Amino acid sequence: MESMDRQKVSSIRCKNFSLSDIVIATNNFDNALIVGRGGFGNVYKGRIPGIQYEVAIKRLHSKSHQGENEFWAEIEMLSQLHYINLVSLIGCCAEDHEMILVYDYMVNGTLRDHLYNHDDIPLSWKQRLKICIGAARGLEYTFIQVQFRESFTET
Ligand SMILES: Nc1ncnc2c1ncn2[C@@H]1O[C@H](COP(=O)(O)OP(=O)(O)OP(=O)(O)O)[C@@H](O)[C@H]1O
């Protein structure tokens, strides 16, 4: 399975990080570096050797078949989408039964935090409108790209 993963990773436009780079970046998956938890698994903040900026590292917690499919689908899709209003996938790591995705780190946190964390200064209506327009542009871009790819694979 490992050699098949490598083949898949090298055939797509996404940087293939070694597990040792990820272990260095997350201080061996140190809980203190966890910045969030999603359906996919824990998300760590870290610095990968050779990369000057901080990254978000998502580690798949489940070994389920569905999780694996989701992992490859995310790589195939996001490695082809590049847009200012979409978080960029920098690379991935599929080694030693680990499935890890590496993204640009969003320093300002999530929109959810800004909307519901009452310690933060509330967003102004102008900021909210700007965010809505940005999100709509990101969705439109993604929708058009997916439609284009679907029609391309059908022909
Ligand atoms: N690129 C990122 N930069 C900074 N923090 C992030 C980044 N990606 C995820 N996080 C943090 O990790 C949390 C979980 O993110 P994740 O994308 O795994 O899950 P989700 O979007 O909440 O749900 P799901 O996994 O179901 O899509 C986020 O709420 C956020 O706090």
Side-chain angles (χ1 to χ4, degrees):
M1 168 167 154
E2 207 175 301
S3 62
M4 196 182 104
D5 287 349
R6 290 225 174 97
Q7 235 181 334
K8 276 187 184 174
V9 171
S10 58
S11 70
I12 46 188
R13 282 182 289 142
C14 157
K15 196 165 168 32
N16 191 4
F17 292 110
S18 69
L19 186 55
S20 60
D21 278 345
I22 301 290
V23 166
I24 293 170
T26 59
N27 196 19
N28 202 12
F29 302 105
D30 186 346
N31 283 346
L33 296 177
I34 294 178
V35 290
R37 287 189 175 89
F40 197 87
N42 288 341
V43 180
Y44 301 80
K45 175 179 169 175
R47 242 173 225 271
I48 294 187
I51 294 192
Q52 304 309 315
Y53 47 90
E54 281 176 323
V55 294
I57 298 169
K58 268 193 204 182
R59 183 191 199 190
L60 185 81
H61 58 56
S62 154
K63 302 277 186 292
S64 74
H65 192 61
Q66 198 188 339
E68 193 182 335
N69 288 342
E70 241 179 71
F71 174 75
W72 292 113
E74 178 103 348
I75 293 169
E76 280 177 37
M77 187 50 75
L78 273 191
S79 60
Q80 297 174 65
L81 300 180
H82 301 282
Y83 192 65
I84 189 162
N85 299 110
L86 278 185
V87 68
S88 294
L89 179 74
I90 300 171
C92 63
C93 169
E95 198 180 311
D96 248 357
H97 303 287
E98 290 281 359
M99 285 184 259
I100 293 163
L101 297 166
V102 179
Y103 301 86
D104 268 342
Y105 182 72
M106 299 290 108
V107 280
N108 291 327
T110 64
L111 177 59
R112 196 191 300 134
D113 294 341
H114 286 284
L115 290 176
Y116 301 115
N117 188 346
H118 297 297
D119 296 336
D120 289 352
I121 303 166
L123 293 170
S124 67
W125 286 109
K126 199 174 169 189
Q127 286 172 313
R128 287 167 197 241
L129 184 62
K130 217 174 148 193
I131 292 167
C132 285
I133 293 169
R137 288 200 175 126
L139 268 177
E140 185 193 33
Y141 167 83
T142 310
F143 181 69
I144 290 169
Q145 294 296 313
V146 170
Q147 264 194 331
F148 173 74
R149 273 164 234 286
E150 276 176 1
S151 65
F152 198 78
T153 47
E154 275 166 16
T155 52

